[in-house]
Amino acid sequence: MANTTNSMVLYHGSMLTHAHKCCLLRPARLLPRFHSSSATLAVKSRASHGSLAKWGHKWKRQFVRTCSTSDFVIANDEKYGNKQVVSLSPRLYDYVLKNVREPEILRQLREETASMRGSQMQVAPDQAQLLAILVQILGAERCIEVGVYTGYSSLAIALVLPESGCLVACERDAKSLEVAKKYYHLAGVSHKVDVKFGLAADTLQSLILDGEAGSYDFAFIDADKRMTQKYFELLLQLVRVGGLIVIDNVLWHGKVADPLVNDPKTISIRDFNQQLVEDKRVNISMVPIGDGMTICRKR
C-alpha cells in the first residue's frame, strides 16, 4: 500500500495559471491518501523579496492533494459538495493526446505549424476534435471561422462537412493563410472553404448586408481577444436559432481568475465571460479544454 501524507502550502492568488498545477482544497478538509511518489510542489510569490507577512490577507492557507499521475481539485465553496475534478498534469494530458483521432493531414499541418512564429496560437488536437464532433452532431453545413492562422481548426471542420458544405474562413495574415490554403488543397477540401482575407468584422458585416443573417449553423472565434464581443454580436446575427458559436481562450492561461492581472486583453476576456453568463440569448457551457472554450447555443 502506498504511503499516505498530508501537505499544506501557502500560495498567492496570482500564481493560478496553467503553468502552476497546484491543487487547492478547502482548509477545513484534508484528503489524506495519495501516492508517495507525488510530484514536488514549488510555491513562489510573484514578488522577488519580502516576507509572507507583507502580503497580509492576500495570502491564503490551502491544503493540497497530489498523486503520481494527476491532480484533483475541490471547489472552496462547500455548496459544491466536495466534487472532485481532474486537473490535467503533463502526463495525463499526454494520455489525452494519445487518445485523439487525428487525421494524417492534420498531423502534417500541426508539425509544420510548430516551427512557425506564433505556433502557440494554433488549437490543440483535442480542441479540434471537439470542434469537429460538434459540427457533426449539429449536422452543420454552413460554418464560419474567425481567425484561421495556418488552418488546423478550419481544416478539422472542413474534413467533416458534407461535400455541399461551406466554411467561411476569415484571416488577416497573408503568410499564415497561404499555409492554410495549401493544406485545404492537399486534403481535397478547397471547394468547401471560402477564404476571406482581411478584417473579420468587415467580412461578417458584409455577410449580414448580403442577406445571410440566420443562415449559418456553426461559428468558431479564435482571433483578437479585444474584439471577441464584437465578433460574437455579429455572429449571433449570422447563426440560426439552435446553431452554435464556440469561443476559444476564455480562460486566457488562468489570467481571468487573477485579480492582479488587468491588461487590456485579460480585462476584455473577463468582461466578455461575465456578460455571456448573463446573456439570455444563448445557452452556454464553458469547457476547460485547451485554453478554455465556451460553447454557446443560440436560443
Side-chain angles (χ1 to χ4, degrees):
M1 178 180 293
N3 296 331
T4 60
T5 313
N6 293 323
S7 300
M8 181 179 75
V9 300
L10 293 173
Y11 84 99
H12 186 258
S14 63
M15 293 172 55
L16 300 182
T17 68
H18 73 293
H20 298 272
K21 298 293 184 179
C22 297
C23 307
L24 308 180
L25 310 184
R26 292 194 314 277
R29 177 178 169 84
L30 219 73
L31 295 183
R33 302 183 62 188
F34 66 94
H35 200 280
S36 59
S37 62
S38 301
T40 301
L41 296 178
V43 181
K44 298 180 180 179
S45 163
R46 184 179 292 260
S48 60
H49 57 83
S51 66
L52 298 184
K54 284 184 59 178
W55 294 95
H57 68 281
K58 294 182 180 179
W59 282 86
K60 299 180 181 179
R61 180 173 296 169
Q62 300 287 352
F63 293 104
V64 174
R65 179 196 183 193
T66 65
C67 68
S68 59
T69 57
S70 64
D71 298 335
F72 295 91
V73 179
I74 297 180
N76 284 328
D77 192 331
E78 293 183 0
K79 290 178 287 188
Y80 288 96
N82 299 326
K83 177 65 178 177
Q84 290 187 7
V85 295
V86 172
S87 178
L88 292 182
S89 63
R91 181 183 298 180
L92 187 55
Y93 186 54
D94 184 58
Y95 178 82
V96 170
L97 293 179
K98 288 178 180 177
N99 283 274
V100 171
R101 295 179 179 178
E102 183 183 42
E104 176 63 20
I105 191 68
L106 283 178
R107 182 193 64 78
Q108 293 174 16
L109 171 54
R110 173 172 55 81
E111 291 182 353
E112 179 172 335
T113 302
S115 63
M116 295 177 58
R117 179 181 179 184
S119 60
Q120 73 280 0
M121 295 189 296
Q122 192 60 74
V123 301
D126 50 329
Q127 292 178 283
Q129 182 176 251
L130 176 60
L131 293 173
I133 201 167
L134 287 174
V135 168
Q136 290 176 299
I137 292 170
L138 192 61
E141 295 190 6
R142 289 170 59 80
C143 303
I144 303 175
E145 179 168 284
V146 178
V148 172
Y149 187 45
T150 60
Y152 189 90
S153 52
S154 56
L155 181 55
I157 292 170
L159 286 169
V160 299
L161 283 175
E163 284 301 302
S164 60
C166 176
L167 168 65
V168 176
C170 307
E171 177 57 55
R172 66 180 183 181
D173 182 75
K175 184 177 180 180
S176 60
L177 193 56
E178 286 305 310
V179 177
K181 290 163 67 176
K182 179 179 75 173
Y183 278 90
Y184 298 152
H185 175 73
L186 290 173
V189 297
S190 294
H191 62 290
K192 300 182 188 180
V193 185
D194 183 7
V195 174
K196 300 291 188 181
F197 173 64
L199 297 177
D202 293 344
T203 297
L204 300 180
Q205 288 170 338
S206 294
L207 294 176
I208 294 170
L209 292 174
D210 289 343
E212 298 191 37
S215 67
Y216 289 86
D217 306 298
F218 181 89
F220 178 48
I221 304 174
D222 186 13
D224 184 353
K225 308 313 167 189
R226 290 166 293 188
M227 289 287 289
T228 298
Q229 185 67 51
K230 176 70 172 179
Y231 297 143
F232 178 76
E233 291 298 331
L234 292 170
L235 289 170
L236 205 55
Q237 297 180 58
L238 288 164
V239 170
R240 64 172 173 82
V241 172
L244 299 182
I245 302 173
V246 180
I247 304 97
D248 196 19
N249 302 113
V250 294
L251 297 181
W252 200 231
H253 317 299
K255 295 178 183 180
V256 290
D258 186 345
L260 297 181
V261 178
N262 291 292
D263 62 274
K265 287 186 179 180
T266 301
I267 291 173
S268 64
I269 297 170
R270 188 182 291 143
D271 289 347
F272 173 76
N273 289 341
Q274 183 58 47
Q275 292 171 24
L276 206 53
V277 170
E278 301 168 358
D279 195 332
K280 302 304 180 184
R281 299 172 296 175
V282 291
N283 302 115
I284 65 170
S285 178
M286 181 181 282
V287 184
I289 183 174
D291 192 27
M293 301 171 77
T294 296
I295 303 168
C296 306
R297 178 183 180 273
K298 183 176 176 179
R299 300 176 68 176

